[in-house]
Amino acid sequence: MLKGARAPLVESTKGTNERKFIHVDMDSFFVSVELLDAPHLVGRPVAVGGTAAERGVISTANYLAREYGVRSGIATATAQRLCPDLVLLPTRFEVYEAVTRRLDAIFRRYTDKVEFLSLDEASLEVTGQSAFNGSATHMAMHIRAAIEQELGLTASAGVAPLKYLAKIASEVQKPNGLFVIVPKDVRGFLDELDVRKIPGVGPKTYAVLENLGCRQCKHVTEEKIPLLMRYLGVHGFYVWERCQGIEEQEERVTHIKSIGIERTLPFDCHDFSSCLQELDRLLEGLRERISEMGDDYLIIKNLVKLKFSDFSISSTEAASNTLSQETVTTLCRLLWDTRREGRSVRLIGLSVKVKRKIQDDIQLELPW
């Protein structure tokens, strides 16, 4: 078991030892599940996805196939050119979903705060749990052992005092590894982290950061905030926060609630322009719902959600005191560029978080 580099904490990570997160990411999940039913294919490059004749794409490839350059989201025809001996298997979502339900049962032995990002990836908050005297590291070790013993599969895990940092940590020792970032190591780990590892930093965002001289998180300083906001909008401030180890906790007050609208598309969406057209229609509908609320609430956040063709869901949010077309378009583009991975979009959701106006608390509690 490895730990992040040691370094003193700074103010932005103060108090992070109060929360504990485990991020579990299954290793080449779809393929690994298929190999349980086809053990004769172990040791061969295998992928799950649509056929080349149907202009299909690869959903998952095992690590042998990845050595040839086969990756999730690439065209099956391309994958077969890269790896002529590739064994292609059809997707069986009902089988994968059954395994995911068993995964969920394992996770809930330790906490009821389980959030699945997709069928093969979940975030667990284990703050205040009694198992193993509250040790998130030991919980992660036992979760991984249970997955291997009960399901015959392997998983990588990350442990950290921040949710997004636990996800990053889960990738460090992949496959079949565990990486722990203890609170006192957060600042040192982030300082040396490539900014491309920060959630939401795709090729376009990285191009801007690189032009600003920001290749590692330690380069994304407070002095850079005006330029980040200028070139990246509200997303630039989000990137700065994550580079500093700042992660806003979920609202704990009851006078904050969500109002949203979503639509399952009649046809899976493959291009961003069509996605934006649907987003514009949702904007109109949500504005009508907000207007019906009267003047008792203040908007504090905009949120966008996408459901993909494999039924996994990704969402993101940003602080805003209005329902802003510019903000939600930026959020949608962020999800499209960083989380879609070649999949089509089945559903688009749009919502705002609103806060009831209270006489003794009339200022917006914005994150900055």
Side-chain angles (χ1 to χ4, degrees):
M1 179 182 65
L2 298 178
K3 295 185 178 181
R6 295 180 180 273
L9 289 178
V10 296
E11 184 177 357
S12 62
T13 55
K14 183 178 179 181
T16 54
N17 59 334
E18 297 177 358
R19 306 186 80 189
K20 296 181 179 181
F21 293 93
I22 301 171
H23 192 95
V24 180
D25 191 359
M26 302 299 293
D27 298 323
S28 54
F29 181 57
F30 292 179
V31 172
S32 297
V33 172
E34 294 294 343
L35 293 180
L36 294 176
D37 293 336
H40 62 283
L41 295 178
V42 173
R44 297 180 61 183
V46 181
V48 169
T51 64
E54 298 172 337
R55 301 176 64 188
V57 297
I58 299 298
S59 294
T60 308
N62 67 359
Y63 289 92
L64 285 173
R66 294 180 196 184
E67 292 176 3
Y68 293 87
V70 179
R71 295 285 186 274
S72 299
I74 71 170
T76 298
T78 301
Q80 291 174 328
R81 284 196 299 270
L82 291 170
C83 181
D85 295 327
L86 183 69
V87 177
L88 182 68
L89 301 175
T91 54
R92 298 189 297 164
F93 284 113
E94 68 283 357
V95 176
Y96 313 143
E97 289 169 352
V99 177
T100 297
R101 287 192 289 272
R102 296 178 65 189
L103 272 176
D104 185 48
I106 292 174
F107 296 155
R108 292 184 184 277
R109 296 172 191 171
Y110 301 91
T111 178
D112 59 354
K113 295 182 178 179
V114 179
E115 178 186 355
F116 275 90
L117 281 70
S118 60
L119 291 176
D120 62 344
E121 190 177 5
S123 174
L124 291 68
E125 182 171 2
V126 294
T127 308
Q129 298 299 315
S130 60
F132 306 106
N133 292 321
S135 169
T137 300
H138 280 83
M139 287 185 230
M141 292 170 62
H142 281 259
I143 286 170
R144 292 179 61 244
I147 290 171
E148 187 164 9
Q149 292 169 7
E150 298 176 29
L151 305 182
L153 303 170
T154 64
S156 299
V159 176
L162 299 163
K163 183 190 291 188
Y164 78 95
L165 207 54
K167 175 176 172 59
I168 294 172
S170 71
E171 301 170 357
V172 175
Q173 292 296 321
K174 225 174 181 353
N176 196 21
L178 171 64
F179 191 86
V180 179
I181 306 171
V182 297
K184 68 177 183 296
D185 294 339
V186 170
R187 183 69 267 163
F189 178 85
L190 281 171
D191 278 349
E192 302 305 316
L193 186 68
D194 188 322
V195 293
R196 287 173 289 190
K197 296 290 186 180
I198 295 295
V201 178
K204 293 183 179 179
T205 298
Y206 180 68
V208 173
L209 293 172
E210 190 174 33
N211 285 336
L212 296 177
C214 301
R215 294 181 177 85
Q216 293 174 299
C217 288
K218 64 184 176 184
H219 302 141
V220 187
T221 61
E222 188 172 355
E223 292 74 20
K224 295 276 187 15
I225 291 178
L227 288 173
L228 292 170
M229 295 290 288
R230 177 181 177 184
Y231 293 112
L232 296 173
V234 68
H235 181 53
F237 190 80
Y238 166 91
V239 171
W240 176 82
E241 283 187 317
R242 297 305 180 267
C243 288
Q244 304 307 309
I246 299 172
E247 181 174 61
E248 186 181 3
Q249 295 189 18
E250 296 178 0
E251 296 87 351
R252 298 179 180 177
V253 288
T254 57
H255 55 277
I256 291 179
K257 66 177 185 178
S258 293
I259 300 170
I261 186 171
E262 62 183 38
R263 181 170 183 259
T264 299
L265 306 179
F267 302 100
D268 287 1
C269 179
H270 295 274
D271 64 284
F272 186 65
S273 60
S274 298
C275 195
L276 280 186
Q277 290 175 6
E278 183 59 38
L279 190 67
D280 288 342
R281 285 190 283 269
L282 291 176
L283 268 167
E284 294 178 8
L286 186 54
R287 286 194 179 105
E288 290 181 6
R289 292 197 60 186
I290 293 172
S291 66
E292 294 171 357
M293 296 177 56
D295 298 325
D296 291 337
Y297 287 89
L298 298 167
I299 295 173
I300 60 174
K301 284 185 179 180
N302 292 183
L303 301 90
V304 174
K305 175 178 71 175
L306 298 181
K307 178 185 284 188
F308 301 110
S309 53
D310 63 354
F311 295 91
S312 63
I313 297 174
S314 290
S315 62
T316 189
E317 61 185 38
S320 179
N321 59 4
T322 64
L323 176 57
S324 165
Q325 183 171 17
E326 180 180 0
T327 298
V328 299
T329 298
T330 299
L331 294 175
C332 190
R333 168 60 78 177
L334 173 64
L335 292 175
W336 186 274
D337 289 344
T338 64
R339 299 308 303 272
R340 188 171 66 93
E341 298 177 342
R343 296 168 294 184
S344 57
V345 173
R346 297 176 56 89
L347 175 146
I348 303 174
L350 179 62
S351 62
V352 292
K353 286 188 178 178
V354 296
K355 176 182 175 182
R356 182 184 292 277
K357 293 179 182 178
I358 298 178
Q359 185 174 359
D360 295 328
D361 184 17
I362 60 174
Q363 290 188 332
L364 284 177
E365 296 178 1
L366 297 177
W368 55 282

